Structure formats: structure tokens, C-alpha cells
Amino acid sequence: MTKVQKWDFMEVAVKGEPVENPFAGPVVTGTFTGDHEEITVDGFFDGDDCYRVRFMPSYEGHYRYRITGNVLSGEVSGEFDVTPAAEGNHGRVQVVDGRYLGYEDGTPYYSVGTTCYAWVHQNEELQNQTLETLAAAPFNKIRFCIYPKYYEFNRSEPLTYPYERGNGEGFDRALAEKTERERKNYPGTEPAEMDYGFNYYRLNTEHFKRIDRRIAQLRDLGIEADLILMHPYDRWGMNVMKAECCDLYIRYLAARYGAYRNVWWSLANEYDLILSKTTDDWERYASILCDKDPYDHLRSIHNCMKLYDYSRDWITHVSIQRQDFCKTTEYTDEYLDKYGKPVVWDEICYEGNIHTGWGNITAQELVRRFWEAFLRGGHAGHGETYLDEKDILWWSHGGVLKGQSVERLRFLRKICEETPGNYLKRTAGMFDETVAVSGEEEGYRTMWEMGTCDYEIHYLGITQPAYRMLYLPEDLLYDVEVIDTWNMTVTPAGRHSGSARIELPGRQYMAIRIRRVQEKDRQSTGPEES
Amino acid sequence: MTKVQKWDFMEVAVKGEPVENPFAGPVVTGTFTGDHEEITVDGFFDGDDCYRVRFMPSYEGHYRYRITGNVLSGEVSGEFDVTPAAEGNHGRVQVVDGRYLGYEDGTPYYSVGTTCYAWVHQNEELQNQTLETLAAAPFNKIRFCIYPKYYEFNRSEPLTYPYERGNGEGFDRALAEKTERERKNYPGTEPAEMDYGFNYYRLNTEHFKRIDRRIAQLRDLGIEADLILMHPYDRWGMNVMKAECCDLYIRYLAARYGAYRNVWWSLANEYDLILSKTTDDWERYASILCDKDPYDHLRSIHNCMKLYDYSRDWITHVSIQRQDFCKTTEYTDEYLDKYGKPVVWDEICYEGNIHTGWGNITAQELVRRFWEAFLRGGHAGHGETYLDEKDILWWSHGGVLKGQSVERLRFLRKICEETPGNYLKRTAGMFDETVAVSGEEEGYRTMWEMGTCDYEIHYLGITQPAYRMLYLPEDLLYDVEVIDTWNMTVTPAGRHSGSARIELPGRQYMAIRIRRVQEKDRQSTGPEES
């Protein structure tokens, strides 16, 4: 009997009759039935005479399946057993309490993402190098594009095209011309020499097969694959297809990738720069995804200048590019409160030295933005844009990491994962610090005086105080640690009550962690140096 | 014949009869008449039997004066000649075109201020040291308080009190009690052991005499004296006097200090923390100043959290403390446009290492905030709060400067003063830079492409690009220089037209200066290294 882990991947491949366009609609369908669920999903065509149906079980136990379809001579059925999830398999990432993210098995998820937009479109050697780098890095999410990318530093043709070569079948000439006219009002969007020589009704299965493998490899590294379905940086007509071709593409992705537990759907990178699309288009794509993905993977859409309406029901989390050059993740808690959804900063400028400001901030500043995001209850994504002799920039191509932020993000993730009660949220603090607490606050709290919270982190950001006053409750006891977020150290700073002066090194990027000493621990002497 | 420079100081001292309270109202008045002006001003009592009347002439030539008053047995009159202003005497600072500041003689004024709130209340030795420091520093404005200050690091009694000792005459007990009750809602404002043992109807002339001398010394150093009339940090009852005592104080200051060309009136430091005052109070004080200061010295009021309504007619410029911890002088151009008045950032956090965020930013960050302010057409003030064994912090006590920002502010002031056409204003630029231009912009300009401005500075702030693209008009020629605002260098970067790649060192805090090459200079080779 086939055995599959819970939240892992069951695939049934069947041979079918040729049809005129096997991509045009669901030609096979599978129903998977266990004791606790029955899921029906579309299959997809994978070239030659091969159709595949994929399924992710959410429960242990015995399952049966039936595959039907107009390309099959009869029904295909079978059985399999779902075994417990192995170590490292925590299930999907989901929304918790409308504010946080957590794995299906209850493990908290602090999303320390990165961005390699076009890594799956590079040569195999470079892709493998990227995976090696990721295996050693702290990231647990990566954003990348299903479609290839045409942009500065990205002028090469992709390894494979997403469509079969053709004569522009499905190309919408009127839309393309209208879009080209509109582009003139957006001096930042560069015109490209377009290549419309594809059949937009026929997907290139080799392209998607390659991505299958990469999603699975990411899954095995514990990395969420934040799939970007569309983006503005197009040279191959992917943004000026007819609507039916767009819909076909979305359905195909749902059928092909929906059963990977680590998939997130990002409808677009910088949706507002895709001049050919309307809100109705995005909403239609979203409704297809909602309809065709039975696992309700996380769904969002990423902006350039104009925020999408994140209050839309289909959007599970706020996937956001910073709106102001100066003030970025400081807005995390405002967005959390406004939308009542987790906030994931999916672009806050990259560590690097290229000529434009989205790709030339320091490691210190990027790390600072991460701390602000996480201590306010959000999440953030990294990227790296250091100039390279071969024009291989991590932000788009992957490869190796050259910056200094990565190790600090590993440290931050560790600090986050040490949170008792699992989740951090911002609370009142002095105007010059960001204070995160875990769990419920009981006592009255002001900017000056702490309540009776069990666990707090005060992040001091760009300031460089030589000491800091804490105003703790007089009747409670707290262990205090000084965290150097840049040098990645945690140093005990004594056990305190009431007004306490905590000595600091007079450097930037410090934090203070405060843990209430429980009654039973009162005899101990506080934390050891770590 | 007495000779006085234009915009300098004419004083007539007269002996008068004793009256019950010579501070209570104008007891002598002077009228000064020249060919182009006739000014009537109140005199003031200066102890013993001495009354003084002071006058600042705004024109050269022959003047006559007449002093009258109920304490005089008759009229006192005389004559004097006003000579041309000597070098370094530029007259008052005034508003230019509703957006800038300039001296009366047409010299542009870029206000590089500093703050030593209580320096005139320290011992004489320390005051003299402060003046020596100022003489070697780049500052052309200083903020300080007429009243002594009680606050953290400021627990000593002042050298002199502003009032004569007494039994609380003029003390408003009901107001004091109401204020004490309100303080409980402001946990940040500390209660003090109050000393109401003064007569608030009688000013201590020694106190004001000392300040006379300091204002004059500042004037001779080319430093504007931004006099803070009231502030929240009181232990001596100055904020809970009866209204008539407040008014008497304001009138006295106008009469005593109005004739110094370098005086600015700041009604308050952090007016909104003076819980005893209402808007009506501030407006009344302002009207007294407008009425009693015939020279219309600059007038404003400084906030803590809540901005005053800067659109009030009496307010000549926006004197503002930063409102957000992260985004500060980036708001300069917004305030300029909103109020149509010059913007002077009179508190943007200080370079230092004390425990609270208003006094522990780095020199780099303070200098960056200055550049943002000036390149957006505003002005900014410095302060320094490094911990000191003797608790002598520049921000309040003066003394010596310990920080690294000062030399960079000197460099910035020099760059500003090199502006052709005299004033900088912000214009369109890429999202990651602040671009200042001088003079009129002729050509169409977008974020990406420059118009045909003669002079520009692009400030790149926290970014660290290895190069920068400029998109200059194809048909014009520009000399380009790279400015390192931290290392204080200006390096020629060639003569360019059209798209130009400017190499940069990949460090933060760089700027690029662009000057259009005039037709007549086309044969030269561009600027020399400076």
C-alpha cells in the first residue's frame, strides 16, 4: 500500500486520450476520500499522454481515490495510507487569531523571507547554487515568479518559456496597444522589444515541471514558496493575453501546485504597474484560486505605489511593499489593526549598492526594519542587490549571499522563536522604542510604566543610549537581558523590580529583554550568559 | 556727537523718581526720530533710580530722541548720528518671499542653530566657556531660556532668579492647584518641590542685566539669540503667576531686549507641556509682543507633541519639534507649503547618549536630518547630550562640544552659502533622494528627468549606491561634483549631458551637485578639486 505523510504529497498519474487543447479545461478530476475529509481537485495535463492529479491529505488514516475525466476510457481508482507527519513537516502556514501566522500543527511561524524573483529561470547550475545557499540560510519563505523577468540586470532569455512557441494565439492586440499607450504616463516602466511568438493557450509543461521540483526542494528545506503569478517586467506577452488564457493559467497553477503544503499564492508582484490589468481581472483570478485550491493556501497581492484593498475576503494577509522611503515597517501595527490580517512586508528595500534606492540600503538598516516589523507583530522579507561582475544579484538570480544582514536575521528568528506564548505584539512604550510583549497584559500600563506582562522586548533601534531606565512593578521580579541585535549577543543584566537602571554599551541596535520571574523560580539567580 | 551703527544699539539711561512698582507699567517712553523713521518705545526700570530706553536705528543719518515719563521731572532729549553698518552687521533676520530667511541687508541666512537652554543660568566661568565654544563653532542661532530650568541633569539653583525674593505676591494659588491636578494625566511631567518665595511683580534686574550682556556677545559673534520666554520645567512658580505678572514680564522683555538686532522671540519651549497656560494666554502674550516690539523680530512658539496653529498672523516662522520618531525633517517641505512660512526645526533629537530618545541619536543621523531640512528649504537646530562626569551637557548648560556633528554642520552651512540665487528649494527627484534647486526651473521635469535648472544638489541620505544615473537634458552641459557630507569633501565628477553615470564610493551620506555650464564657460574644463 502506498504510504504518504500527512500534509505531504499524493500524486496519481494517468494516461489519457489526446484532445484538442488539454490545457483548456479540467480534463481529469480526482476525489480523495478519508475518514475526515473528501476533497475533489482538478488534474492537469503534463505533456505526451500524461495527466496528473495531486492531493495533500490533512488527516492520518486510510484514503481512497477515484480519477475520472473525458480523456479517460474509464475510472481510475486506488487506495493509500496517510502516516503521521515526520519531523520538520508542520503542515501549511495559516492565519492564527487574525493577526499571526502559524503552521497547521500549532508551531508558530515567524516569516523571515527572502526574494529571488527569477531564480527558477536561471541555468541549472545557478539554481542549484541558490538552493545550497538557501539550505544554509535562515529564510523560511522565498518569493519568486512563475513567469520569467525582463528588467535591468535581467536581460537574458529564461531557461524555458511558460508557453509553447506559436503565432500569438491568445494574444490580445487591442489590449497590448492600449497598454503601450498608457505606458507613456509611467516614465519608469521601460518599453521592451516584445516577443509575442507563443501560443498562450498552450503551457510549456517542461517549464512547470522544473518549478515542481524546485517547490519540492524548498519544502524539504522548510521554506515556503511564495509563488508570484504575474508581474510587470514582461517581454513575452504574458500581460497582454486574452482573459481566457489568463484564467487557464491560474487554473493550471492551482491544479499543479496546490497540493504542495509550502505554496503561497501571490497574485502579483507590483500589481499596480501591470497596466493591462483591472481590479476586475485580479478579483477574477482570486475567485478562480479560491474555487480551485481546496487547501486555502495563503493568498495576497503585492503593490508598488498603490495598496490593493486588503480588506477583500480572499486576501489572507497583507503582502506589502513599503510606502515611504523613510518610514517603513514602523507602520506594521497600524496595518495589522486596520485590516485585521497578518502583515508580511514583502519589499522594504534590499541590502546592496545598486544605483536606485530600493536596492542600496545598508545591512544595518535592513535588519533594523526587520526588528521593527517583528516586534510590532509582523513579518518581513530580505533581498540583496550587490553589484556583481557577472550581474548575478541575489534579489533576482539567486546564487550566493554577499551581505551582512543574513546572520542577523538568523539571530532575530531565533529570538522570535524563543517567545513564550508563541506570538509577539506591540504594546505601549516610550516614544523612542518599540516594545513587544507576549501573552496577555494584566496591569495598567503607560508609556512610562510597565504593566505586569510576563515577557517583553524593548527595541531601541537607531538610538545609542549609555543606559536605560525601566519602570517595573515594585512588587514583581524580572530577569533582564541586553540584546545586541547587530553583534548577536544576549547578555544578562540582573534581576530587578521597580525603577531599574540598565547599563548599555552606547551603540545602536540594542534591545532589552525582560522576563517575569515566576514564584517557583525566585530562588534561582537569573539567566546565564548565552 | 554720539555715533551708532545702523542696526546697532542706542541706549539712553535716565534717572527717575521712585514709584511703587516701576515694573508695573511703562514709566518712561522714548521717541527716536530720523529722516526715514520715527519709533516710539517703552523704557524699562533697571534698578536703583535708573531707567533705560533702547533703540535700534534702521537707517543711516541724523537722529533725535525725546524721553518722557511720569518718573521724570522733565523731558530728556538728545541727538546722535547713525553710521553705516560695519562688516558682520547684516541687520535683523527677516522672512523673505514667505519661505526663506535673510538678513536685512540682503545676505541669505541659513539657520544652523544650537540649543543651550539654561546656559545663562550657569556659573560665569561656564558661561564664558560656552561663548568661547560658540565663537569657534558654525552656529548662527542659539535657543535659550530667560527663566531657569528644573529638569533631569538640571537640579542646581540658577545663578540669579528672574524675580526678587518675596512672599508669593502675584502667585496664583488656584491655578497652581489646578495645574498640579492636571499633571497627573501627564506622567512624563515630574512634580517638583516648589519655591514660591518670590514677588512676581518685581523682576530681578541683575538677572536681566546678565542676559543683556550675553545677547550682545552673541550678536558680536554673529549668532541670533532665540529667546525662550516660558517653558514647562519650572520649580520657582513662573508658570503659575497671575496674568498681570505674565504680561508685565512680556512687556519688560520687549522693552529691554527688542533693540538687539539678533533677538528672536520664542513664546515657549514645549508650550503644550505648560499645563497652566491656555491658547488665550499665548495669544495675549503674542499681542503684547507685536504691540511693544517696533522691530517685528521673528516670533514663534515651540511644541512638544501638539503643534501650535502656525497659521496665526503673529507667527513669522514654524518653530517645530519633530513629531515622529522616525520621520522628522522629511516633513519640511510639507510644512513650508502648508503654512507659507519658513520652517525652522528647533528640536530634532540631539547627538548624545543619554537614556531617552530625544537625546541619544548619532552624529550621522543628526547631520542627515539637517541635510534633509536644508535641501527641502528649511532650517535646523543642533544639540548635544553626551553624559558627563559633572553633568554638564551642552544642550542645557553649554560648556564644550564633544560630538562629531558640529564640523559636518559647518560644512553643510558652507555648501548652503555657496548657493547661487541664494535660496534652495526642493524639487522633483527619485523617491530615494532629496533634490534641492536654486532659482527658477524652466524645463519640464519628472522624477526621472531633470529640467533645465542651473544648480541642483541631490542628497542620497542613508543609501549606499556604487553609482548613480543622472538624466540631464541632452542639449545642455553640466559640471558634476560628488559631495561626501560626512567626510566633508567635494570631488569633481566631470562634465556631462544626457544620461550620465556618476561613480560613487558606495557609502552613506553622499550628495551630487550639478551646475549648468553657461555658454561663456564652455571652454573651461570644469571645477577643480576643492
Side-chain angles (χ1 to χ4, degrees):
Chain A
M1 179 82 61
T2 304
K3 288 194 190 309
V4 177
Q5 267 180 48
K6 184 164 83 158
W7 301 317
D8 221 326
F9 191 94
M10 175 67 193
E11 179 181 282
V12 183
V14 292
K15 290 192 179 187
E17 299 295 316
V19 292
E20 192 184 336
N21 186 2
F23 299 102
V27 282
V28 293
T29 300
T31 299
F32 297 78
T33 309
D35 288 344
H36 304 286
E37 64 180 342
E38 180 169 275
I39 301 277
T40 297
V41 287
D42 288 347
F44 61 92
F45 180 63
D46 202 24
D48 299 327
D49 56 359
C50 179
Y51 297 85
R52 297 182 194 276
V53 188
R54 291 174 173 176
F55 169 69
M56 180 184 78
S58 293
Y59 298 91
E60 295 167 32
H62 191 68
Y63 277 75
R64 289 169 292 111
Y65 64 82
R66 292 183 303 119
I67 313 292
T68 55
N70 56 359
V71 294
L72 302 181
S73 52
E75 186 178 291
V76 178
S77 63
E79 299 176 55
F80 57 101
D81 280 330
V82 178
T83 60
E87 201 186 325
N89 172 0
H90 303 289
R92 289 165 301 172
V93 173
Q94 296 178 313
V95 175
V96 179
D97 296 338
R99 291 182 76 92
Y100 307 111
L101 293 171
Y103 289 103
E104 216 161 348
D105 71 351
T107 306
Y109 174 76
Y110 296 94
S111 187
V112 178
T114 191
T115 309
C116 301
Y117 283 122
W119 78 283
V120 296
H121 310 297
Q122 311 303 313
N123 65 61
E124 289 286 341
E125 190 187 345
L126 185 52
Q127 288 186 50
N128 291 335
Q129 188 185 46
T130 303
L131 275 172
E132 277 170 38
T133 303
L134 287 170
F139 304 118
N140 56 15
K141 175 165 94 77
I142 185 170
R143 301 175 67 226
F144 63 95
C145 302
I146 303 292
Y147 282 149
K149 175 167 184 155
Y150 181 80
Y151 191 69
E152 192 176 3
F153 306 113
N154 289 267
R155 303 304 189 200
S156 308
E157 290 299 287
L159 190 55
T160 53
Y161 296 104
Y163 293 95
E164 291 180 7
R165 277 293 178 188
N167 295 305
E169 296 88 345
F171 167 57
D172 186 336
R173 181 168 305 277
L175 181 63
E177 286 170 358
K178 177 172 166 289
T179 303
E180 203 47 46
R181 284 193 303 275
E182 280 183 26
R183 190 199 298 282
K184 293 186 174 48
N185 299 323
Y186 288 78
T189 57
E190 16 168 18
E193 194 178 322
M194 298 301 291
D195 174 1
Y196 300 123
F198 298 96
N199 180 341
Y200 298 102
Y201 290 102
R202 295 190 68 91
L203 296 158
N204 175 11
T205 55
E206 282 314 303
H207 185 81
F208 294 90
K209 217 172 270 183
R210 289 198 306 97
I211 295 176
D212 273 355
R213 182 169 155 239
R214 297 313 186 187
I215 295 173
Q217 288 170 313
L218 292 170
R219 176 196 63 206
D220 296 342
L221 292 173
I223 299 173
E224 302 297 298
D226 196 357
L227 303 180
I228 298 168
L229 276 44
M230 297 181 177
H231 67 76
Y233 307 108
D234 176 23
R235 200 182 86 75
W236 305 277
M238 302 159 319
N239 286 338
V240 284
M241 304 184 299
K242 289 183 176 158
E244 54 191 343
C245 298
C246 297
D247 298 356
L248 173 159
Y249 167 69
I250 304 286
R251 280 198 307 269
Y252 191 81
L253 294 181
R256 179 149 207 148
Y257 299 136
Y260 290 90
R261 66 173 175 269
N262 62 324
V263 157
W264 299 20
W265 307 115
S266 177
L267 281 197
N269 180 53
E270 297 184 329
Y271 85 92
D272 48 327
L273 295 189
I274 308 182
L275 306 179
S276 53
K277 308 279 180 193
T278 65
T279 300
D280 285 350
D281 289 327
W282 299 117
E283 291 293 316
R284 195 177 74 250
Y285 306 153
S287 75
I288 295 170
L289 272 182
C290 288
D291 187 38
K292 294 298 186 182
D293 165 17
Y295 313 106
D296 263 334
H297 287 288
L298 294 177
R299 287 177 299 262
S300 196
I301 183 167
H302 168 272
N303 64 294
C304 179
M305 286 163 296
K306 188 173 182 295
L307 299 190
Y308 203 86
D309 175 9
Y310 293 115
S311 66
R312 301 292 306 180
D313 277 347
W314 64 266
I315 296 185
T316 54
H317 64 287
V318 176
S319 164
I320 189 169
Q321 178 165 186
R322 58 102 186 81
Q323 291 300 286
D324 185 271
F325 190 67
C326 179
K327 196 169 172 181
T328 59
T329 49
E330 287 79 9
Y331 289 112
T332 303
D333 39 317
E334 274 183 52
Y335 285 122
L336 259 171
D337 290 342
K338 178 172 179 185
Y339 296 110
K341 296 178 182 182
V343 173
V344 182
W345 290 94
D346 275 326
E347 215 179 319
I348 49 175
C349 301
Y350 307 124
E351 180 187 351
N353 65 352
I354 62 168
H355 62 119
T356 40
W358 53 263
N360 58 24
I361 64 169
T362 62
Q364 285 85 345
E365 177 63 11
L366 183 60
V367 173
R368 189 191 72 74
R369 293 180 186 187
F370 264 77
W371 274 81
E372 288 289 348
F374 281 86
L375 266 64
R376 291 165 189 263
H379 307 263
H382 155 275
E384 215 184 71
T385 41
Y386 281 108
L387 291 171
D388 179 278
E389 278 178 18
K390 294 180 180 166
D391 269 1
I392 299 175
L393 283 69
W394 175 263
W395 134 84
S396 186
H397 314 94
V400 295
L401 287 161
K402 300 161 191 155
Q404 296 181 282
S405 60
V406 183
E407 287 313 306
R408 280 81 190 182
L409 301 183
R410 187 192 306 280
F411 178 76
L412 168 59
R413 183 175 157 189
K414 176 173 166 287
I415 295 286
C416 288
E417 289 174 352
E418 288 171 6
T419 308
N422 292 344
Y423 299 105
L424 290 168
K425 68 178 172 199
R426 190 187 183 201
T427 190
M430 288 277 287
F431 68 95
D432 54 346
E433 67 183 354
T434 301
V435 183
V437 298
S438 170
E440 288 307 306
E441 292 178 272
E442 290 155 35
Y444 174 72
R445 175 179 196 111
T446 68
M447 185 169 87
W448 302 86
E449 289 174 42
M450 276 184 51
T452 55
C453 203
D454 284 354
Y455 184 88
E456 300 198 355
I457 302 177
H458 296 230
Y459 178 61
L460 304 178
I462 64 163
T463 69
Q464 53 173 5
Y467 67 95
R468 188 77 176 178
M469 296 304 298
L470 296 177
Y471 303 97
L472 307 164
E474 292 286 348
D475 55 339
L476 297 174
L477 209 55
Y478 293 85
D479 283 330
V480 176
E481 293 165 310
V482 171
I483 298 177
D484 184 329
T485 71
W486 182 253
N487 293 306
M488 300 175 282
T489 58
V490 180
T491 309
R495 187 163 276 187
H496 301 274
S497 285
S499 286
R501 177 179 161 129
I502 309 300
E503 299 301 326
L504 294 171
R507 287 194 300 269
Q508 295 185 306
Y509 311 124
M510 305 303 295
I512 297 172
R513 184 159 61 175
I514 305 170
R515 297 173 206 250
R516 182 168 160 190
V517 179
Q518 302 302 322
E519 206 56 47
K520 65 180 169 51
D521 300 324
R522 288 227 165 193
Q523 299 314 310
S524 78
T525 54
E528 296 303 308
E529 186 139 359
S530 66
Chain B
M1 179 84 61
T2 305
K3 288 194 189 308
V4 177
Q5 267 181 49
K6 184 166 82 159
W7 300 317
D8 219 325
F9 192 92
M10 175 66 192
E11 178 180 282
V12 183
V14 292
K15 290 191 178 185
E17 299 296 316
V19 292
E20 193 185 334
N21 185 3
F23 299 103
V27 281
V28 293
T29 301
T31 299
F32 296 79
T33 309
D35 288 345
H36 304 286
E37 64 180 342
E38 180 169 276
I39 301 277
T40 297
V41 288
D42 287 347
F44 62 92
F45 181 63
D46 203 23
D48 298 326
D49 55 359
C50 180
Y51 297 85
R52 297 180 195 277
V53 187
R54 291 174 174 177
F55 169 67
M56 180 185 77
S58 294
Y59 298 91
E60 295 167 32
H62 190 69
Y63 277 75
R64 287 169 293 111
Y65 64 82
R66 290 183 304 119
I67 314 293
T68 57
N70 55 358
V71 295
L72 301 182
S73 52
E75 185 179 291
V76 177
S77 64
E79 299 177 55
F80 57 100
D81 281 330
V82 178
T83 60
E87 202 186 324
N89 172 359
H90 303 289
R92 290 165 301 173
V93 173
Q94 297 178 312
V95 175
V96 179
D97 297 338
R99 291 183 75 93
Y100 308 111
L101 293 171
Y103 289 103
E104 217 161 346
D105 72 351
T107 306
Y109 174 76
Y110 296 94
S111 187
V112 178
T114 191
T115 309
C116 300
Y117 284 122
W119 78 282
V120 296
H121 310 297
Q122 310 303 312
N123 64 63
E124 288 288 340
E125 191 186 342
L126 184 53
Q127 288 186 51
N128 291 336
Q129 188 184 46
T130 304
L131 274 172
E132 277 170 39
T133 303
L134 287 170
F139 305 118
N140 56 15
K141 175 166 95 77
I142 185 170
R143 301 174 68 227
F144 63 95
C145 302
I146 303 294
Y147 283 149
K149 175 167 185 157
Y150 181 81
Y151 192 70
E152 192 175 3
F153 306 114
N154 290 266
R155 303 303 190 201
S156 308
E157 290 300 286
L159 189 55
T160 52
Y161 297 104
Y163 293 95
E164 292 180 7
R165 277 293 178 187
N167 295 305
E169 296 88 345
F171 167 57
D172 187 335
R173 182 168 306 276
L175 181 63
E177 286 170 358
K178 177 171 167 288
T179 303
E180 203 48 45
R181 285 195 302 276
E182 280 183 26
R183 188 199 299 285
K184 294 188 173 49
N185 300 322
Y186 289 78
T189 57
E190 16 168 20
E193 194 178 322
M194 297 302 290
D195 174 0
Y196 300 124
F198 298 96
N199 181 341
Y200 298 102
Y201 290 103
R202 295 191 68 91
L203 296 159
N204 175 10
T205 55
E206 282 313 303
H207 185 81
F208 294 90
K209 219 171 271 181
R210 290 198 304 98
I211 295 175
D212 273 356
R213 182 168 155 239
R214 297 312 186 188
I215 295 173
Q217 288 170 314
L218 292 171
R219 177 197 62 205
D220 296 343
L221 292 173
I223 299 173
E224 302 297 299
D226 196 356
L227 302 180
I228 296 167
L229 277 41
M230 297 181 178
H231 67 76
Y233 307 108
D234 177 22
R235 199 181 87 75
W236 305 277
M238 302 160 316
N239 287 338
V240 285
M241 304 185 299
K242 290 183 175 156
E244 55 191 341
C245 297
C246 297
D247 298 355
L248 173 158
Y249 167 69
I250 304 286
R251 280 198 307 269
Y252 191 81
L253 295 180
R256 179 147 206 149
Y257 299 135
Y260 290 91
R261 68 172 173 269
N262 61 322
V263 157
W264 299 21
W265 306 116
S266 178
L267 282 196
N269 178 55
E270 298 184 329
Y271 84 94
D272 49 326
L273 296 188
I274 309 182
L275 306 178
S276 53
K277 307 281 180 191
T278 65
T279 300
D280 285 349
D281 289 327
W282 298 117
E283 291 293 315
R284 195 178 73 250
Y285 306 153
S287 75
I288 295 171
L289 273 181
C290 288
D291 187 37
K292 294 298 185 183
D293 165 16
Y295 313 105
D296 264 334
H297 287 287
L298 294 177
R299 287 177 300 263
S300 196
I301 183 167
H302 168 273
N303 64 295
C304 179
M305 285 163 298
K306 187 171 183 298
L307 299 191
Y308 203 87
D309 174 8
Y310 293 115
S311 66
R312 302 290 309 179
D313 276 346
W314 64 267
I315 296 186
T316 54
H317 64 287
V318 176
S319 164
I320 189 170
Q321 178 166 183
R322 58 102 186 80
Q323 292 300 287
D324 186 273
F325 190 68
C326 177
K327 197 169 172 182
T328 59
T329 50
E330 287 78 10
Y331 288 113
T332 303
D333 40 316
E334 274 184 53
Y335 285 122
L336 259 171
D337 289 343
K338 178 170 180 187
Y339 295 109
K341 297 180 183 181
V343 173
V344 182
W345 290 95
D346 276 327
E347 213 179 320
I348 48 175
C349 301
Y350 307 124
E351 180 187 351
N353 65 353
I354 62 167
H355 62 118
T356 40
W358 54 263
N360 59 24
I361 64 169
T362 62
Q364 285 84 346
E365 176 64 10
L366 182 61
V367 173
R368 189 191 72 75
R369 293 179 186 187
F370 264 77
W371 275 82
E372 289 289 349
F374 281 85
L375 266 63
R376 292 166 188 263
H379 308 264
H382 155 275
E384 216 184 70
T385 41
Y386 282 108
L387 291 172
D388 179 277
E389 279 178 17
K390 296 179 181 166
D391 269 2
I392 299 175
L393 284 70
W394 174 263
W395 134 84
S396 186
H397 314 94
V400 295
L401 288 161
K402 301 160 190 157
Q404 296 181 282
S405 60
V406 183
E407 288 313 305
R408 279 80 191 183
L409 301 183
R410 188 192 306 280
F411 178 77
L412 167 59
R413 183 174 157 190
K414 177 174 166 287
I415 294 285
C416 287
E417 289 174 352
E418 288 172 5
T419 308
N422 292 344
Y423 298 105
L424 290 167
K425 67 178 175 199
R426 189 186 183 201
T427 190
M430 289 276 287
F431 67 96
D432 54 347
E433 67 182 354
T434 301
V435 183
V437 299
S438 170
E440 289 307 306
E441 292 179 88
E442 290 156 35
Y444 173 73
R445 176 180 195 111
T446 69
M447 184 169 89
W448 302 86
E449 288 175 42
M450 275 183 50
T452 55
C453 203
D454 283 355
Y455 183 87
E456 299 198 356
I457 303 177
H458 296 230
Y459 178 61
L460 304 179
I462 64 163
T463 68
Q464 52 173 4
Y467 67 95
R468 188 78 177 178
M469 297 304 297
L470 296 176
Y471 302 96
L472 307 164
E474 292 287 349
D475 55 340
L476 296 174
L477 210 54
Y478 292 85
D479 283 331
V480 176
E481 292 165 311
V482 171
I483 298 177
D484 184 329
T485 71
W486 181 253
N487 293 306
M488 301 175 282
T489 57
V490 179
T491 309
R495 186 163 277 188
H496 301 272
S497 285
S499 288
R501 178 181 161 127
I502 310 300
E503 300 299 325
L504 294 171
R507 287 194 300 270
Q508 294 185 305
Y509 312 123
M510 305 302 295
I512 297 172
R513 183 158 63 175
I514 305 169
R515 295 172 207 251
R516 182 168 160 191
V517 179
Q518 302 302 320
E519 206 56 47
K520 65 181 170 52
D521 299 324
R522 289 228 165 193
Q523 299 313 310
S524 78
T525 54
E528 296 303 308
E529 187 138 359
S530 66

